[in-house]
Amino acid sequence: MPIVLGDSRISYQVSLKARLAPARLVRSGADGIVTEIFVRPGSAVRPTEQLLAVDDTPILAMGGPAPLFRDLAPGDMGTDVLRLDRFLVSIGRLHTAPSPEFGSSTARAVRDHNFATGRETSGTTFLASSVAWIGPRPLLHSSIVVEVGDRVALDSVILRSRSTLQRVDVAEPPAGVPAVPGGYTLRLGELSVFYQGGAESVTTPELVRRLSPAFAVDREAAATVRARRAAPVMRVPAASVIVDADGTTCVYPDRHGPAVPVTVRAGELGVVDLDPVDGLRGVLANPAQILDELTCGS
């Protein structure tokens, strides 16, 4: 039977599992009674925003790579002073380049900040308790865990973020998903993202964000990956393909010739797509009706 040449986009069934980043906790550096809450449930919290008031004094969100671990005053030096300067720049109090030295410019900015937030008696000393560190990035889907009237103390949790999707693990078939030019489209319901065969996970933030609605309830799902570019294939009847016990696949070009090893790409409705084989022009449509022994010789 003559072979039909065509193009095919190979596809594979895969299983997905959502991997969540742990919730981030924001802790208080102040000790007192919560008198006001400014954060709305579920809202994003960004650096410099007011979180709550303790003893009628506002606590601001502070970003950056690390929290402040001490009160800072003129003459202090260190990377924490540099973080303080960056914070003062972000709230519009400091108008010079951030520095690791607590100099006169920082002192004026701290004095202005203390006056504006009801801490006049602190003068040019910046109190670490006046801010709460939220981490290097804004908090998404935050929830406040204290109420007006609650007492907070040093290291009390006052705010937490919802766990967010960090990556999506992809369980490929046992033989894997081979890398192909142009990669694949991973499709999950109405959602689709780029996927590189063999990667075994989706980690690019934008692609993870696009997949996140699918995991709002369930943490596992079935999906399909399909080649983005069509590849040349040979289409033959499914009955023409012989599969040995070890998984080797082959076809017979005629009743006299030896078996020809082939790689199966896809198949449906009695037709199988094979990788092209040089010199192969036809196959026995149903070798089981003609040959006594069906084997690929493996």
Side-chain angles (χ1 to χ4, degrees), residues 242-250 252 259-262 293-298:
I242 298 168
V243 183
D244 278 359
D246 64 357
T248 301
T249 53
C250 64
Y252 277 83
V260 177
V262 294
E293 184 178 3
L294 294 178
T295 177
C296 295
S298 59

Side-chain angles (χ1 to χ4, degrees), residues 22-271:
R24 287 158 59 191
L25 305 179
V26 177
R27 301 180 183 275
S28 171
D31 188 348
I33 302 298
V34 176
T35 52
E36 192 170 358
I37 294 173
F38 304 108
V39 178
R40 293 179 299 161
S43 64
V45 174
R46 294 176 173 79
T48 75
E49 290 186 19
Q50 292 189 28
L51 301 178
L52 71 167
V54 175
D55 296 341
D56 287 334
T57 305
I59 307 296
L60 273 62
M62 181 178 181
L68 297 181
F69 58 89
R70 59 173 176 164
D71 296 342
L72 295 169
D76 287 336
M77 297 187 66
T79 55
D80 54 345
V81 176
L82 182 62
R83 295 196 296 273
L84 170 61
D85 271 13
R86 288 171 176 161
F87 172 74
L88 293 171
V89 168
S90 68
I91 62 175
R93 299 294 179 192
L94 182 63
H95 304 287
T96 58
S99 165
E101 181 177 357
F102 197 126
S104 58
S105 296
T106 300
R108 286 192 297 271
V110 168
R111 183 187 59 213
D112 292 345
H113 168 71
N114 285 340
F115 182 83
T117 58
R119 297 180 174 89
E120 297 91 339
T121 57
S122 297
T124 56
T125 298
F126 188 89
L127 304 179
S129 60
S130 68
V131 293
W133 183 61
I134 65 170
R137 298 176 303 280
L139 285 182
L140 303 179
H141 310 294
S142 60
S143 61
I144 195 80
V145 297
V146 294
E147 297 179 352
V148 172
D150 287 350
R151 172 171 286 280
V152 294
L154 179 65
D155 212 33
S156 298
V157 175
I158 57 175
L159 190 72
R160 73 172 66 238
S161 71
R162 190 175 71 187
S163 296
T164 55
L165 187 63
Q166 186 174 44
R167 73 175 194 272
V168 178
D169 288 346
V170 182
E172 299 181 352
V177 174
V180 295
Y184 296 84
T185 295
L186 187 152
R187 186 171 296 279
L188 176 56
E190 298 298 318
L191 305 173
S192 62
V193 299
F194 174 80
Y195 179 70
Q196 183 62 57
E200 298 186 342
S201 63
V202 177
T203 58
T204 304
E206 172 61 20
L207 302 185
V208 170
R209 184 190 64 79
R210 286 163 57 184
L211 287 175
S212 61
F215 298 101
V217 177
D218 296 326
R219 296 291 177 255
E220 298 184 9
T224 301
V225 292
R226 182 177 174 86
R228 295 163 66 91
R229 297 180 186 174
V233 295
M234 302 187 306
R235 291 199 171 96
V236 299
S240 70
V241 180
I242 298 168
V243 183
D244 278 359
D246 64 357
T248 301
T249 53
C250 64
V251 295
Y252 277 83
D254 53 51
R255 68 175 63 208
H256 306 294
V260 177
V262 294
T263 299
V264 176
R265 282 300 183 189
E268 59 181 355
L269 300 176
V271 178

